[in-house]
Amino acid sequence: MADRTAVRIAGEALPRGELWAAAAAVADEVSGARVVAVPGSASLPTVVGMVGCLLGGVTVVPVPADAGPRERAHILTDSKAELWLGEPPAEDGAAGGNGRGLPVVPIDPARRSASTFPEPDPATAAMVMYTSGTTGAPKGVVTSRRAIAACLDALTDAWAWTPDDVLVHGLPLFHIHGLVLGVLGALRVGSPLVHTRRPRPADYAAAAERHGGSLYFGVPTVWSRVCDDPAAAATLGRARLLVSGSAPLPVPVARRLHELTGLVPVERYGMTESLITVAVRADGERRPGWVGLPLPTVATRLASIPDATDVAGSAHGAAAPLGPPGGGDVADVPRDGESVGELQVRGATLFDGYLGLAEATAASWTPDGWFRTGDAAVIDPDGWHRIVGRTSVDLIKSGGYRIGAGEVEAALLAHPAITEAAVVGVADADLGQRIVAYVVGDGTAPVDPDAVSTFVAEQLSVHKRPREVRVVDGLPRNAMGKVQKKLLASS
């Protein structure tokens, strides 16, 4: 087992025993520090550095590889990081150039140490990961070792993940998906990780051929691109399981993947604050558009959203009550597969709080101990979950109705000439908000906005149709492929 490859990134690899020895050398270097910042580049030093911090019981702060000077300075100052572990940002110059003059400790994956370290208390903070900062400065999410272990062990069971699997992905190493699941998960299970540095279809296919990739992680953008490369998709048909996360997987993409690979991807749902809470099992039913059932250590509920009538659930426009106005934290939304409520969760995978933000932490929890995700969802009688979107940008109040952006987007993506779609609500003097759709055409013919609006009205209720359809060359996305709707809404 010690001689088996643990991690391979862009041609560089470390056997498991050597990875632990290299990580122990890092742990020796950072011994005595409480919080250490590690740049989240897709590289072997990043993995060695982060594992070394965790091995030594030091809280690690993954710094996004694409962070600008302002964001990086905020993260380093807010986290009170004591060291910068790894290469300093190129634009900041030489030693000490990380925005705060922190001591720089280089990472050399070739170094080895035989040091051993006691297992830290499971309740201690493993990581402080920063949110995307869409509603202000990024907040530091404090996550314990216990929470990470609970999440990974539950997913190991759900996905029948074993040391015989070879995990392949090319996701960023500073988010839950690529780092916690994609690196720590593989190391905890004992399955080799092949990181392709970038999640390109050809590289994913090559990993199947050269390294026997059996378990693949990707975001919807990755799977959409795989669908555009039938040769790569055919090669991925050798895999055991495809996993999609970080954003909803469009149903047409899931169906096309099935056609090309013979595999229906499993989806899962989570947040930086909660890790993964809901997932589709490898041995269970697949329902494109649904993210599955709560993990065994997690409970979920739907709370009423004030001042709304839910019309988002049914393709035929049937309305269902959301609960009493002003209910907020009343878990009274029926689990009928149609009624929309705010998803609230509790369980072993939850974070410990926002670093230094007691009020924000308190506001994120209900008085009876449930975490408010801020996501709108429906749950069916069997417990299956479907995420509608963020309550802040994906629930549109139009003409007295609450309409789920996700449902309208799914209808738009069923149009044969549309490859990408995002729906937002824009202030309207008559309707309160009007539905505006941003769509990307497939390039074969001009997209007719009026025809697109009519197409949606024929699938859903008429009041769910976009009042405006704006054809664009592309949608703004973050590093995980999520559409940045606030940028669209302000454009």
Side-chain angles (χ1 to χ4, degrees):
M1 187 66 147
D3 294 332
R4 191 183 187 196
T5 296
V7 179
R8 181 183 301 276
I9 301 181
E12 296 184 289
L14 275 179
R16 191 172 183 86
E18 292 188 26
L19 171 60
W20 292 126
V26 170
D28 289 339
E29 289 277 1
V30 301
S31 178
R34 292 172 299 176
V35 182
V36 171
V38 181
S41 61
S43 66
L44 210 55
T46 289
V47 174
V48 171
M50 292 191 183
V51 173
C53 288
L54 296 174
L55 186 65
V58 177
T59 300
V60 62
V61 179
V63 180
D66 58 353
R70 183 184 182 92
E71 179 184 1
R72 184 166 55 249
H74 168 74
I75 290 172
L76 298 179
T77 301
D78 186 71
S79 68
K80 297 181 174 60
E82 299 166 19
L83 298 173
W84 177 275
L85 184 59
E87 291 294 321
E91 69 270 22
D92 284 345
N98 45 55
R100 274 193 68 222
L102 295 181
V104 173
V105 177
I107 302 171
D108 181 0
R111 291 190 61 195
R112 302 288 182 267
S113 170
S115 298
T116 59
F117 300 86
E119 180 64 25
D121 185 337
T124 58
M127 292 186 178
V128 179
M129 301 189 80
Y130 278 77
T131 63
S132 59
T134 56
T135 57
K139 297 190 288 290
V141 176
V142 182
T143 304
S144 70
R145 302 173 71 94
R146 177 187 291 124
I148 291 175
C151 172
L152 296 179
D153 290 347
L155 290 178
T156 298
D157 175 69
W159 296 338
W161 193 354
T162 75
D164 292 332
D165 279 307
V166 174
L167 173 63
V168 179
H169 74 85
L171 302 173
L173 299 189
F174 48 86
H175 285 303
I176 294 297
H177 198 168
L179 175 57
V180 176
L181 276 59
V183 174
L184 302 186
L187 293 176
R188 188 169 179 84
V189 171
S191 65
L193 164 65
V194 177
H195 192 285
T196 60
R197 188 161 284 176
R198 294 180 181 176
R200 295 180 295 199
D203 293 336
Y204 273 31
E209 294 179 330
R210 298 172 188 169
H211 306 296
S214 62
L215 176 61
Y216 283 77
F217 289 172
V219 298
T221 301
V222 172
W223 301 126
S224 178
R225 291 173 181 171
V226 168
C227 289
D228 292 336
D229 188 338
T235 303
L236 290 189
R238 305 174 189 177
R240 180 180 68 82
L241 193 67
L242 308 180
V243 179
S244 184
S246 298
L249 181 68
V251 173
V253 174
R255 290 174 176 164
R256 180 61 174 157
L257 269 176
H258 186 211
E259 292 173 2
L260 294 170
T261 67
L263 300 170
V264 178
V266 299
E267 295 188 65
R268 86 296 183 282
Y269 164 79
M271 302 175 65
T272 305
E273 292 90 339
S274 68
L275 303 180
I276 306 304
T277 53
V278 179
V280 176
R281 293 184 61 86
D283 60 358
E285 181 184 358
R286 313 287 169 85
R287 301 183 192 177
W290 295 74
V291 295
L293 302 164
L295 297 178
T297 58
V298 173
T300 64
R301 72 181 188 183
L302 291 180
S304 59
I305 303 173
D307 305 322
T309 301
D310 170 33
V311 297
S314 171
H316 303 290
L322 263 176
D329 292 327
V330 179
D332 59 357
V333 177
R335 295 184 171 217
D336 56 13
E338 296 186 353
S339 299
V340 177
E342 183 198 34
L343 183 63
Q344 298 181 351
V345 301
R346 67 180 180 187
T349 66
L350 272 291
F351 74 134
D352 291 336
Y354 295 113
L355 184 66
L357 298 172
E359 290 186 7
T361 298
S364 69
W365 296 84
T366 68
D368 58 344
W370 293 75
F371 174 65
R372 300 181 173 111
T373 67
D375 283 324
V378 299
I379 303 176
D380 81 354
D382 297 324
W384 277 73
H385 291 54
R386 178 165 64 86
I387 307 302
V388 174
R390 296 295 293 170
T391 58
S392 58
V393 295
D394 290 319
L395 284 184
I396 301 169
K397 299 176 182 178
S398 183
Y401 297 101
R402 188 180 295 273
I403 300 164
E407 184 187 25
V408 182
E409 288 163 356
L412 288 164
L413 290 170
H415 191 288
I418 293 175
T419 59
E420 296 182 73
V423 168
V424 299
V426 174
D428 186 277
D430 178 43
L431 298 170
Q433 287 182 304
R434 67 182 182 276
I435 300 173
V436 177
Y438 292 81
V439 302
V440 179
D442 64 2
T444 59
V447 176
D448 181 346
D450 291 337
V452 169
S453 182
T454 300
F455 177 82
V456 173
E458 290 171 348
Q459 297 184 74
L460 309 175
S461 297
V462 173
H463 57 257
K464 297 180 182 180
R465 73 190 187 283
R467 301 299 178 121
E468 290 183 56
V469 176
R470 302 177 183 178
V471 182
V472 295
D473 293 331
L475 301 176
R477 297 179 183 274
N478 64 16
M480 292 303 293
K482 293 182 181 179
V483 176
Q484 297 178 294
K485 290 192 174 182
K486 289 186 181 294
L487 297 180
L488 292 175
S490 62
S491 64

